[in-house]
Amino acid sequence: MSSRILILDYGSQYTQLIARRVREARVYSEIHPPTRTVEWVRAWKPTGIILSGGPCSVYGENVPTAHPDLLDVAPILGVCYGMQLIAHLEGGAVERAGRREYGRADVEVLEESGVFAGFSPEQPMGAWMSHGDHVERPPDGYVITARSANTPVAGMRHRTKPIHAVQFHPEVAHTPRGGEIIANFLFEICHAEPSWTPGAFIEDEIRKIRALVGEKRVICGLSGGVDSSVAAALVHRAIGDQLTCVFVDTGLLRMGEREQVERTFRAHLGVKLVTIDASKRFLDALAGIEDPEKKRRAIGHTFIDVFEDATSQHAEGAAFLVQGTLYPDVIESASPTGGPSVTIKTHHNVGGLKPEMKFKLIEPLRELFKDEVRNVGRELALPEEMVGRHPFPGPGLAIRILGDVEESKLTVLRQADAIYLEEIRAAGLYDDIWQAFAVLLPVRSVGVMGDERTYDNVVALRAVTSVDGMTADWFPFPHDVMAVISNRIINEVDGVNRVVYDVSSKPPATIEWE
């Protein structure tokens, strides 16, 4: 069996980062709630276990905890609250803090071994602290491996058992050598094998899909986005013409999007693709609607109806439905009180299909993060323009037109957005940006073009940097690039006389405007 790391989530905002760091080292990891029993953990057969941080105190009521026997199942790494929990379970002293320690700290490494192998005791290490309580005295049988000015026990380990812990967060970028600490745990302590690769994932998933599907037919609602495209390509690699992809042209797509999808999947990959032009149907459903949530509902309901019609006509007898669900969509997270919650988002408006459409789901990407999906897509030979594209919302341009949606407004927005993305690519900035798009505002402004006074549309531009879309900062464009973008949009898009740039971060703003 391949190596795999179990991460028990005690509620830290950084837990997903732990999983990503482990996978970046090419070792498979999964996040589970701390309510998993010791028997369940043993049956899962982890190569190692990481206890995450969290906002609770070990002295609080109804806080997430662990059975002491967990510490004997596999090598353990405790992080922040995870370290305090180990100390508490083993009889050490955890001290309630008068105030939180938050921010960068210099940590003195006391021994050059274990998770600190390769670290010099003479050279302080920068680390990110985010904790209230701290370990004042390690349990019997443990030694202190690191300390800082405000934290007497910044690291500890058991003398004979493979149990290690740190008070800081090695998973965040603010701990520059944190990746080395995690790698030391994986390879020096757990003796894990770095076998988690896109190629290995594809081979394993193909075997699973073939065993599940047999000779039955499969349908995929293809949106053209990264997730559904990679999912479709992977399933097609497994079962070929047993798969039928349905691409719905909602009329709310960006310029050239339909043509790109058809070119890639029909000509390049040889996928059986059915395109449904339902643009009039969607525009009729959106007529007169200004409220963003009402727009989303109208689009979702229309999509379900269109998809149902397409299925009955082009994929009758299909037993399975492919969805591009990703791992962050299905992670079970622990609340501060230890109660697990499950969040599964509806994907591409297909999650709400009618009860009579009894498909079994195939979700080949449900173990992957977004960057891993992109790498799998590259391994499957999908073009970079598709694999590396920015996120695009399921409702499309409808939520980038503030107010009601009309064909004339879609034409203006489509042209402005195309120029914006074209110039970003020309400047070599596309891959530096998480998401960039234009928004058509429901206001008009006075301008002068030639010798005439104008009263035309305002276009807002949005570009952000982010890791996972949970938080985001606005992108600082060079002024000369922004000048070219603004001039081109005003000069080339009929009906626009003003361009503004959104310099809001998330939070407090969201990435999309609606």
Side-chain angles (χ1 to χ4, degrees):
M1 179 185 292
S2 298
S3 300
R4 53 187 191 166
I5 300 298
L6 174 65
I7 300 166
L8 294 181
D9 179 12
Y10 287 90
S12 170
Q13 61 182 316
Y14 304 129
T15 301
Q16 286 196 29
L17 281 179
I18 299 175
R20 295 174 71 91
R21 297 295 173 261
V22 172
R23 292 186 180 195
E24 285 168 4
R26 294 167 55 192
V27 178
Y28 181 67
S29 64
E30 280 188 18
I31 298 171
H32 286 268
T35 49
R36 296 299 190 198
T37 64
V38 174
E39 292 73 24
W40 184 93
V41 173
R42 285 199 181 102
W44 200 79
K45 296 182 180 179
T47 308
I49 301 171
I50 298 178
L51 311 182
S52 85
C56 299
S57 167
V58 293
Y59 296 114
E61 294 183 7
N62 300 317
V63 297
T65 185
H67 194 285
D69 290 349
L70 179 73
L71 303 181
D72 294 320
V73 173
I76 299 282
L77 174 63
V79 174
C80 195
Y81 178 83
M83 171 171 163
Q84 297 161 23
L85 181 59
I86 292 170
H88 184 62
L89 293 173
E90 295 278 80
V94 179
E95 185 170 286
R96 292 177 181 269
R99 61 182 178 85
R100 290 185 62 84
E101 182 180 15
Y102 184 84
R104 190 184 183 281
D106 287 330
V107 172
E108 179 186 358
V109 174
L110 302 179
E111 62 175 27
E112 190 181 350
S113 62
V115 295
F116 294 116
F119 287 70
S120 171
E122 288 78 33
Q123 183 66 46
M125 177 192 68
W128 188 258
M129 297 284 188
S130 179
H131 63 95
D133 299 353
H134 66 262
V135 177
E136 182 67 22
R137 175 181 54 79
D140 292 343
Y142 284 75
V143 297
I144 300 173
T145 57
R147 65 190 175 198
S148 72
N150 296 318
T151 308
V153 186
M156 68 180 192
R157 67 168 175 84
H158 196 281
R159 290 184 186 276
T160 58
K161 297 179 181 180
I163 303 175
H164 298 254
V166 293
Q167 183 57 71
F168 53 88
H169 289 273
E171 69 273 23
V172 302
H174 302 299
T175 302
R177 298 187 68 181
E180 295 175 55
I181 293 171
I182 292 174
N184 281 336
F185 174 69
L186 297 176
F187 304 121
E188 299 295 325
I189 310 301
C190 300
H191 306 293
E193 296 179 2
S195 57
W196 175 249
T197 64
F201 169 81
I202 290 169
E203 290 178 11
D204 186 52
E205 204 60 34
I206 285 174
R207 284 194 297 270
K208 291 179 184 176
I209 293 167
R210 287 174 177 167
L212 176 66
V213 171
E215 300 299 319
K216 295 183 174 67
R217 297 182 66 189
V218 179
I219 189 169
C220 175
L222 187 64
S223 73
V226 176
D227 306 339
S228 71
S229 297
V230 174
L234 178 53
V235 173
H236 182 258
R237 175 76 64 90
I239 60 172
D241 284 346
Q242 288 172 249
L243 172 70
T244 299
C245 288
V246 175
F247 176 65
V248 177
D249 183 352
T250 63
L252 308 171
L253 304 174
R254 289 174 292 192
M255 188 175 291
E257 199 154 14
R258 171 176 170 172
E259 293 77 11
Q260 181 199 34
V261 170
E262 291 179 329
R263 182 173 62 250
T264 298
F265 281 87
R266 281 199 185 120
H268 184 61
L269 296 178
V271 173
K272 189 187 299 181
L273 176 66
V274 176
T275 299
I276 307 296
D277 187 346
S279 52
K280 184 179 185 305
R281 200 163 166 180
F282 279 88
L283 277 173
D284 288 346
L286 287 166
I289 298 177
E290 297 186 3
D291 180 81
E293 286 308 308
K294 289 182 180 178
K295 284 184 191 177
R296 291 176 184 273
R297 284 197 294 271
I299 292 167
H301 293 156
T302 306
F303 187 94
I304 291 168
D305 291 340
V306 171
F307 191 77
E308 182 182 35
D309 292 345
T311 302
S312 61
Q313 293 178 36
H314 302 286
E316 187 176 356
F320 295 90
L321 172 68
V322 179
Q323 284 193 321
T325 311
L326 303 192
Y327 192 45
D329 305 333
V330 296
I331 289 174
E332 292 178 304
S333 300
S335 71
T337 58
S341 60
V342 182
T343 300
I344 303 178
K345 70 180 179 182
T346 300
H347 231 68
H348 302 306
N349 303 317
V350 182
L353 291 176
K354 297 175 181 177
E356 59 267 25
M357 299 182 72
K358 299 185 183 302
F359 292 113
K360 295 178 181 177
L361 287 183
I362 298 177
E363 298 173 302
L365 310 179
R366 64 181 289 114
E367 296 176 347
L368 303 184
F369 288 103
K370 191 78 170 189
D371 53 333
E372 294 171 326
V373 172
R374 296 187 195 279
N375 289 334
V376 167
R378 294 181 180 106
E379 190 82 11
L380 290 167
L382 284 171
E384 188 62 31
E385 64 178 357
M386 180 169 283
V387 174
R389 63 177 279 179
H390 293 171
F392 186 64
L397 298 180
I399 60 169
R400 293 177 179 173
I401 295 174
L402 275 59
D404 63 329
V405 180
E406 299 172 355
E407 184 60 54
S408 59
K409 294 179 181 179
L410 285 164
T411 299
V412 170
L413 180 58
R414 219 175 255 124
Q415 292 174 350
D417 192 71
I419 290 170
Y420 185 29
L421 296 179
E422 181 182 317
E423 289 300 329
I424 288 173
R425 286 191 172 95
L429 299 174
Y430 189 83
D431 293 335
D432 296 333
I433 297 170
W434 165 267
Q435 195 170 3
F437 55 90
V439 179
L440 186 62
L441 304 186
V443 295
R444 291 176 179 268
S445 70
V446 174
V448 177
M449 301 184 78
D451 294 323
E452 295 184 357
R453 180 181 181 274
T454 62
Y455 187 59
D456 277 331
N457 294 295
V458 179
V459 167
L461 304 179
R462 180 79 157 137
V464 297
T465 58
S466 181
V467 173
D468 53 15
M470 300 301 292
T471 61
D473 292 319
W474 58 276
F475 182 75
F477 275 109
H479 289 182
D480 58 335
V481 175
M482 185 57 73
V484 171
I485 294 169
S486 175
N487 287 338
R488 279 199 62 193
I489 290 174
I490 291 172
N491 288 328
E492 297 178 30
V493 181
D494 188 30
V496 176
N497 68 358
R498 192 177 300 270
V499 172
V500 297
Y501 186 56
D502 182 350
V503 291
S504 311
S505 295
K506 177 186 178 182
T510 54
I511 295 178
E512 296 284 349
W513 278 49
E514 284 198 346

mmCIF file of all heavy atoms in Angstrom, residues 483-513:
data_model
loop_
_atom_site.group_PDB
_atom_site.id
_atom_site.type_symbol
_atom_site.label_atom_id
_atom_site.label_comp_id
_atom_site.label_asym_id
_atom_site.label_seq_id
_atom_site.Cartn_x
_atom_site.Cartn_y
_atom_site.Cartn_z
ATOM 1 N N ALA A 483 -2.948 51.269 -18.494
ATOM 2 C CA ALA A 483 -3.266 52.321 -19.460
ATOM 3 C C ALA A 483 -3.650 51.724 -20.812
ATOM 4 O O ALA A 483 -4.617 52.164 -21.454
ATOM 5 C CB ALA A 483 -2.075 53.264 -19.612
ATOM 6 N N VAL A 484 -2.908 50.704 -21.249
ATOM 7 C CA VAL A 484 -3.215 50.053 -22.531
ATOM 8 C C VAL A 484 -4.587 49.392 -22.467
ATOM 9 O O VAL A 484 -5.402 49.515 -23.398
ATOM 10 C CB VAL A 484 -2.126 49.012 -22.879
ATOM 11 C CG1 VAL A 484 -2.558 48.176 -24.076
ATOM 12 C CG2 VAL A 484 -0.802 49.695 -23.166
ATOM 13 N N ILE A 485 -4.865 48.675 -21.357
ATOM 14 C CA ILE A 485 -6.155 47.996 -21.218
ATOM 15 C C ILE A 485 -7.302 48.994 -21.266
ATOM 16 O O ILE A 485 -8.284 48.814 -22.000
ATOM 17 C CB ILE A 485 -6.189 47.198 -19.891
ATOM 18 C CG1 ILE A 485 -5.180 46.047 -19.927
ATOM 19 C CG2 ILE A 485 -7.595 46.667 -19.626
ATOM 20 C CD1 ILE A 485 -4.959 45.381 -18.576
ATOM 21 N N SER A 486 -7.185 50.068 -20.493
ATOM 22 C CA SER A 486 -8.251 51.073 -20.444
ATOM 23 C C SER A 486 -8.469 51.727 -21.799
ATOM 24 O O SER A 486 -9.612 51.866 -22.274
ATOM 25 C CB SER A 486 -7.904 52.128 -19.389
ATOM 26 O OG SER A 486 -8.853 53.167 -19.389
ATOM 27 N N ASN A 487 -7.387 52.115 -22.450
ATOM 28 C CA ASN A 487 -7.508 52.778 -23.755
ATOM 29 C C ASN A 487 -8.156 51.873 -24.791
ATOM 30 O O ASN A 487 -9.003 52.306 -25.578
ATOM 31 C CB ASN A 487 -6.129 53.234 -24.243
ATOM 32 C CG ASN A 487 -5.613 54.431 -23.460
ATOM 33 O OD1 ASN A 487 -6.387 55.172 -22.856
ATOM 34 N ND2 ASN A 487 -4.296 54.617 -23.460
ATOM 35 N N ARG A 488 -7.745 50.605 -24.798
ATOM 36 C CA ARG A 488 -8.307 49.683 -25.790
ATOM 37 C C ARG A 488 -9.799 49.465 -25.561
ATOM 38 O O ARG A 488 -10.589 49.455 -26.516
ATOM 39 C CB ARG A 488 -7.566 48.343 -25.741
ATOM 40 C CG ARG A 488 -6.239 48.322 -26.491
ATOM 41 C CD ARG A 488 -5.829 46.881 -26.780
ATOM 42 N NE ARG A 488 -6.803 46.200 -27.628
ATOM 43 C CZ ARG A 488 -6.832 44.871 -27.824
ATOM 44 N NH1 ARG A 488 -5.957 44.090 -27.196
ATOM 45 N NH2 ARG A 488 -7.732 44.341 -28.615
ATOM 46 N N ILE A 489 -10.200 49.265 -24.314
ATOM 47 C CA ILE A 489 -11.616 49.022 -24.041
ATOM 48 C C ILE A 489 -12.459 50.232 -24.450
ATOM 49 O O ILE A 489 -13.492 50.093 -25.127
ATOM 50 C CB ILE A 489 -11.826 48.686 -22.545
ATOM 51 C CG1 ILE A 489 -11.245 47.306 -22.221
ATOM 52 C CG2 ILE A 489 -13.314 48.722 -22.183
ATOM 53 C CD1 ILE A 489 -11.266 46.943 -20.754
ATOM 54 N N ILE A 490 -12.018 51.435 -24.077
ATOM 55 C CA ILE A 490 -12.790 52.644 -24.404
ATOM 56 C C ILE A 490 -12.829 52.890 -25.908
ATOM 57 O O ILE A 490 -13.860 53.286 -26.468
ATOM 58 C CB ILE A 490 -12.210 53.858 -23.658
ATOM 59 C CG1 ILE A 490 -12.482 53.717 -22.151
ATOM 60 C CG2 ILE A 490 -12.802 55.160 -24.188
ATOM 61 C CD1 ILE A 490 -11.785 54.761 -21.305
ATOM 62 N N ASN A 491 -11.723 52.643 -26.594
ATOM 63 C CA ASN A 491 -11.658 52.912 -28.031
ATOM 64 C C ASN A 491 -12.327 51.828 -28.877
ATOM 65 O O ASN A 491 -12.832 52.103 -29.967
ATOM 66 C CB ASN A 491 -10.209 53.063 -28.477
ATOM 67 C CG ASN A 491 -9.586 54.358 -27.989
ATOM 68 O OD1 ASN A 491 -10.273 55.372 -27.861
ATOM 69 N ND2 ASN A 491 -8.295 54.338 -27.700
ATOM 70 N N GLU A 492 -12.326 50.562 -28.386
ATOM 71 C CA GLU A 492 -12.772 49.456 -29.231
ATOM 72 C C GLU A 492 -14.154 48.906 -28.880
ATOM 73 O O GLU A 492 -14.771 48.223 -29.704
ATOM 74 C CB GLU A 492 -11.742 48.314 -29.172
ATOM 75 C CG GLU A 492 -10.378 48.698 -29.711
ATOM 76 C CD GLU A 492 -9.353 47.576 -29.598
ATOM 77 O OE1 GLU A 492 -9.773 46.387 -29.655
ATOM 78 O OE2 GLU A 492 -8.154 47.861 -29.444
ATOM 79 N N VAL A 493 -14.632 49.173 -27.676
ATOM 80 C CA VAL A 493 -15.936 48.630 -27.276
ATOM 81 C C VAL A 493 -16.978 49.739 -27.363
ATOM 82 O O VAL A 493 -16.949 50.701 -26.588
ATOM 83 C CB VAL A 493 -15.891 48.050 -25.846
ATOM 84 C CG1 VAL A 493 -17.261 47.477 -25.477
ATOM 85 C CG2 VAL A 493 -14.819 46.978 -25.736
ATOM 86 N N ASP A 494 -17.855 49.593 -28.299
ATOM 87 C CA ASP A 494 -18.896 50.599 -28.510
ATOM 88 C C ASP A 494 -19.813 50.659 -27.294
ATOM 89 O O ASP A 494 -20.363 49.643 -26.855
ATOM 90 C CB ASP A 494 -19.701 50.240 -29.757
ATOM 91 C CG ASP A 494 -20.666 51.349 -30.143
ATOM 92 O OD1 ASP A 494 -20.355 52.519 -29.873
ATOM 93 O OD2 ASP A 494 -21.736 51.030 -30.713
ATOM 94 N N GLY A 495 -19.985 51.848 -26.725
ATOM 95 C CA GLY A 495 -20.887 52.016 -25.598
ATOM 96 C C GLY A 495 -20.196 52.106 -24.256
ATOM 97 O O GLY A 495 -20.862 52.171 -23.221
ATOM 98 N N VAL A 496 -18.837 52.122 -24.224
ATOM 99 C CA VAL A 496 -18.094 52.264 -22.971
ATOM 100 C C VAL A 496 -17.244 53.533 -23.046
ATOM 101 O O VAL A 496 -16.502 53.736 -24.013
ATOM 102 C CB VAL A 496 -17.185 51.049 -22.705
ATOM 103 C CG1 VAL A 496 -16.338 51.271 -21.446
ATOM 104 C CG2 VAL A 496 -18.009 49.780 -22.572
ATOM 105 N N ASN A 497 -17.358 54.402 -22.038
ATOM 106 C CA ASN A 497 -16.520 55.607 -22.037
ATOM 107 C C ASN A 497 -15.734 55.784 -20.731
ATOM 108 O O ASN A 497 -15.069 56.795 -20.540
ATOM 109 C CB ASN A 497 -17.362 56.860 -22.314
ATOM 110 C CG ASN A 497 -18.328 57.178 -21.175
ATOM 111 O OD1 ASN A 497 -18.406 56.462 -20.185
ATOM 112 N ND2 ASN A 497 -19.071 58.267 -21.334
ATOM 113 N N ARG A 498 -15.818 54.792 -19.843
ATOM 114 C CA ARG A 498 -15.074 54.902 -18.585
ATOM 115 C C ARG A 498 -14.720 53.505 -18.070
ATOM 116 O O ARG A 498 -15.545 52.588 -18.089
ATOM 117 C CB ARG A 498 -15.909 55.660 -17.538
ATOM 118 C CG ARG A 498 -15.112 56.072 -16.291
ATOM 119 C CD ARG A 498 -15.995 56.881 -15.334
ATOM 120 N NE ARG A 498 -16.496 58.100 -15.949
ATOM 121 C CZ ARG A 498 -15.871 59.266 -15.913
ATOM 122 N NH1 ARG A 498 -14.709 59.373 -15.282
ATOM 123 N NH2 ARG A 498 -16.401 60.336 -16.487
ATOM 124 N N VAL A 499 -13.455 53.365 -17.584
ATOM 125 C CA VAL A 499 -12.972 52.109 -17.006
ATOM 126 C C VAL A 499 -12.435 52.401 -15.613
ATOM 127 O O VAL A 499 -11.659 53.344 -15.427
ATOM 128 C CB VAL A 499 -11.860 51.471 -17.884
ATOM 129 C CG1 VAL A 499 -11.239 50.271 -17.173
ATOM 130 C CG2 VAL A 499 -12.421 51.055 -19.237
ATOM 131 N N VAL A 500 -12.862 51.605 -14.628
ATOM 132 C CA VAL A 500 -12.367 51.760 -13.258
ATOM 133 C C VAL A 500 -11.762 50.432 -12.802
ATOM 134 O O VAL A 500 -12.098 49.364 -13.328
ATOM 135 C CB VAL A 500 -13.492 52.187 -12.288
ATOM 136 C CG1 VAL A 500 -14.040 53.548 -12.689
ATOM 137 C CG2 VAL A 500 -14.606 51.155 -12.248
ATOM 138 N N TYR A 501 -10.870 50.505 -11.790
ATOM 139 C CA TYR A 501 -10.206 49.291 -11.292
ATOM 140 C C TYR A 501 -10.565 49.071 -9.827
ATOM 141 O O TYR A 501 -10.510 49.997 -9.016
ATOM 142 C CB TYR A 501 -8.684 49.403 -11.454
ATOM 143 C CG TYR A 501 -7.949 48.128 -11.089
ATOM 144 C CD1 TYR A 501 -8.262 46.925 -11.711
ATOM 145 C CD2 TYR A 501 -6.943 48.135 -10.115
ATOM 146 C CE1 TYR A 501 -7.601 45.750 -11.380
ATOM 147 C CE2 TYR A 501 -6.272 46.959 -9.785
ATOM 148 C CZ TYR A 501 -6.610 45.778 -10.417
ATOM 149 O OH TYR A 501 -5.947 44.606 -10.089
ATOM 150 N N ASP A 502 -10.926 47.844 -9.489
ATOM 151 C CA ASP A 502 -11.365 47.469 -8.147
ATOM 152 C C ASP A 502 -10.141 47.141 -7.285
ATOM 153 O O ASP A 502 -9.417 46.187 -7.562
ATOM 154 C CB ASP A 502 -12.286 46.247 -8.266
ATOM 155 C CG ASP A 502 -12.843 45.783 -6.933
ATOM 156 O OD1 ASP A 502 -12.397 46.266 -5.887
ATOM 157 O OD2 ASP A 502 -13.737 44.909 -6.945
ATOM 158 N N VAL A 503 -9.915 47.933 -6.221
ATOM 159 C CA VAL A 503 -8.763 47.708 -5.338
ATOM 160 C C VAL A 503 -9.232 47.236 -3.961
ATOM 161 O O VAL A 503 -8.679 47.604 -2.933
ATOM 162 C CB VAL A 503 -7.873 48.961 -5.212
ATOM 163 C CG1 VAL A 503 -7.173 49.242 -6.522
ATOM 164 C CG2 VAL A 503 -8.686 50.182 -4.762
ATOM 165 N N SER A 504 -10.236 46.361 -3.940
ATOM 166 C CA SER A 504 -10.746 45.780 -2.697
ATOM 167 C C SER A 504 -10.159 44.385 -2.506
ATOM 168 O O SER A 504 -10.018 43.625 -3.464
ATOM 169 C CB SER A 504 -12.269 45.670 -2.734
ATOM 170 O OG SER A 504 -12.856 46.880 -3.145
ATOM 171 N N SER A 505 -9.836 44.061 -1.265
ATOM 172 C CA SER A 505 -9.354 42.724 -0.941
ATOM 173 C C SER A 505 -10.487 41.882 -0.375
ATOM 174 O O SER A 505 -11.532 42.402 0.020
ATOM 175 C CB SER A 505 -8.199 42.805 0.080
ATOM 176 O OG SER A 505 -7.076 43.450 -0.487
ATOM 177 N N LYS A 506 -10.293 40.588 -0.343
ATOM 178 C CA LYS A 506 -11.251 39.660 0.265
ATOM 179 C C LYS A 506 -10.644 39.052 1.515
ATOM 180 O O LYS A 506 -9.602 38.407 1.418
ATOM 181 C CB LYS A 506 -11.619 38.551 -0.704
ATOM 182 C CG LYS A 506 -12.567 37.506 -0.087
ATOM 183 C CD LYS A 506 -12.808 36.336 -1.018
ATOM 184 C CE LYS A 506 -13.717 35.309 -0.341
ATOM 185 N NZ LYS A 506 -13.949 34.121 -1.188
ATOM 186 N N PRO A 507 -11.267 39.166 2.692
ATOM 187 C CA PRO A 507 -12.350 40.083 2.995
ATOM 188 C C PRO A 507 -11.839 41.526 3.070
ATOM 189 O O PRO A 507 -10.633 41.710 3.055
ATOM 190 C CB PRO A 507 -12.830 39.581 4.365
ATOM 191 C CG PRO A 507 -11.610 38.994 4.996
ATOM 192 C CD PRO A 507 -10.815 38.405 3.857
ATOM 193 N N PRO A 508 -12.711 42.512 3.093
ATOM 194 C CA PRO A 508 -14.164 42.448 3.307
ATOM 195 C C PRO A 508 -14.973 42.214 2.032
ATOM 196 O O PRO A 508 -16.120 41.801 2.106
ATOM 197 C CB PRO A 508 -14.482 43.808 3.902
ATOM 198 C CG PRO A 508 -13.484 44.718 3.262
ATOM 199 C CD PRO A 508 -12.222 43.917 3.136
ATOM 200 N N ALA A 509 -14.410 42.514 0.866
ATOM 201 C CA ALA A 509 -15.153 42.294 -0.376
ATOM 202 C C ALA A 509 -15.081 40.821 -0.758
ATOM 203 O O ALA A 509 -14.266 40.058 -0.224
ATOM 204 C CB ALA A 509 -14.578 43.166 -1.492
ATOM 205 N N THR A 510 -15.927 40.395 -1.680
ATOM 206 C CA THR A 510 -15.797 39.077 -2.288
ATOM 207 C C THR A 510 -15.039 39.249 -3.602
ATOM 208 O O THR A 510 -14.818 40.371 -4.067
ATOM 209 C CB THR A 510 -17.175 38.448 -2.563
ATOM 210 O OG1 THR A 510 -17.945 39.373 -3.340
ATOM 211 C CG2 THR A 510 -17.897 38.146 -1.265
ATOM 212 N N ILE A 511 -14.626 38.143 -4.212
ATOM 213 C CA ILE A 511 -13.914 38.248 -5.493
ATOM 214 C C ILE A 511 -14.890 38.679 -6.584
ATOM 215 O O ILE A 511 -14.667 39.663 -7.287
ATOM 216 C CB ILE A 511 -13.229 36.916 -5.849
ATOM 217 C CG1 ILE A 511 -12.123 36.605 -4.833
ATOM 218 C CG2 ILE A 511 -12.632 36.993 -7.266
ATOM 219 C CD1 ILE A 511 -11.418 35.277 -5.066
ATOM 220 N N GLU A 512 -15.991 37.953 -6.727
ATOM 221 C CA GLU A 512 -17.033 38.359 -7.674
ATOM 222 C C GLU A 512 -17.824 39.521 -7.089
ATOM 223 O O GLU A 512 -17.894 39.703 -5.875
ATOM 224 C CB GLU A 512 -17.972 37.187 -7.972
ATOM 225 C CG GLU A 512 -17.324 36.007 -8.672
ATOM 226 C CD GLU A 512 -17.064 36.240 -10.153
ATOM 227 O OE1 GLU A 512 -17.574 37.237 -10.705
ATOM 228 O OE2 GLU A 512 -16.347 35.419 -10.754
ATOM 229 N N TRP A 513 -18.467 40.296 -7.953
ATOM 230 C CA TRP A 513 -19.267 41.430 -7.499
ATOM 231 C C TRP A 513 -20.680 41.000 -7.108
ATOM 232 O O TRP A 513 -21.364 41.686 -6.379
ATOM 233 C CB TRP A 513 -19.333 42.499 -8.594
ATOM 234 C CG TRP A 513 -18.115 43.389 -8.628
ATOM 235 C CD1 TRP A 513 -16.805 42.993 -8.614
ATOM 236 C CD2 TRP A 513 -18.103 44.815 -8.683
ATOM 237 N NE1 TRP A 513 -15.976 44.083 -8.663
ATOM 238 C CE2 TRP A 513 -16.750 45.229 -8.714
ATOM 239 C CE3 TRP A 513 -19.084 45.792 -8.732
ATOM 240 C CZ2 TRP A 513 -16.369 46.553 -8.769
ATOM 241 C CZ3 TRP A 513 -18.712 47.122 -8.796
ATOM 242 C CH2 TRP A 513 -17.357 47.495 -8.808
#
